[in-house]
Amino acid sequence: MALVCARLVAEAVWEYRGYVAGAGSVAEAGCASGLCAPVFLALGKTLVGVEPKAALATLAQHRIHDGRAPYAQVVTAPLSAFFQSHPDAFDLVVSAQALLSCAQLEDALAGFQRALHAQGLLAFTLGYAEEDISSCGIMPNADGGFSYTETYLRGALRDAGLSAKLVNPVTVGPNAVKRLLVLAKKPR
């Protein structure tokens, strides 16, 4: 399912008119073992993987695609801490599924916003909760992750200083899992 989500994220970026793919620096938040790197590699000149779990980051560092390492660098660090400590470092931050287990969405979004250049893009998928099911906007999932309503997510993006360009419910995988596909932009 990670590859399906990665392709959705990449397609959203490719289709967005304000982004010149292949021209800048891209960070993959929660790169895990690097499975999605080939999908995200085409979106920028350089790709940096950020993964909180050391064992997965090691696998990502050793991944080879088309005879070369897709990542310019793989960093083992908590996502929010890494992105907060790298202001104005990236043109694009992408994540296929890392935010599915994120209970502190606001912290992650603030970190991503800080790490983006002016006019930079953030693209990711997130668990989706129907508005009428979750009165507070966030709902724990049976798998230990979290789902968010569209209203809650739009507010969290706005509070983080990001402008929502796309927030679409999508259904992915053979089990018809509901996700939100999100594309947001940092203003000038």
Side-chain angles (χ1 to χ4, degrees):
M1 182 127 55
L3 277 175
V4 173
C5 290
R7 288 185 187 111
L8 286 171
V9 166
E11 286 170 15
V13 171
W14 281 110
E15 292 173 8
Y16 183 72
R17 293 184 191 162
Y19 183 74
V20 179
S25 56
V26 179
E28 181 184 358
C31 67
S33 66
L35 180 67
C36 300
V39 176
F40 295 139
L41 185 59
L43 296 174
K45 191 180 288 182
T46 60
L47 178 63
V48 173
V50 183
E51 173 53 47
K53 297 177 184 168
L56 289 174
T58 299
L59 290 173
Q61 285 174 324
H62 293 96
R63 183 168 293 279
I64 300 296
H65 175 69
D66 287 340
R68 69 182 186 100
Y71 294 106
Q73 179 183 17
V74 176
V75 178
T76 304
L79 298 181
S80 294
F82 174 84
F83 288 102
Q84 282 286 351
S85 67
H86 288 80
D88 301 314
F90 301 102
D91 298 296
L92 173 65
V93 175
V94 294
S95 179
Q97 297 191 118
L99 297 179
L100 294 176
S101 60
C102 183
Q104 305 297 323
L105 183 62
E106 291 80 2
D107 292 344
L109 294 176
F112 297 148
Q113 190 273 0
R114 182 169 168 79
L116 286 169
H117 293 303
Q119 304 288 345
L121 291 179
L122 169 63
F124 60 94
T125 65
L126 191 66
Y128 174 58
E130 301 276 344
E131 298 286 340
D132 59 342
I133 293 176
S134 176
S135 60
C136 66
I138 182 172
M139 185 174 78
N141 297 332
D143 63 4
F146 297 89
S147 292
Y148 298 87
T149 64
E150 185 176 339
T151 301
Y152 183 92
L153 178 62
R154 285 182 183 279
L157 288 168
R158 184 181 53 253
D159 291 349
L162 295 162
S163 173
K165 298 300 175 187
L166 173 76
V167 179
N168 281 357
V170 294
T171 303
V172 296
N175 295 329
V177 176
K178 291 186 177 186
R179 299 273 189 258
L180 282 172
L181 175 61
V182 181
L183 183 68
K185 186 173 185 178
K186 181 177 179 174
R188 293 178 192 249

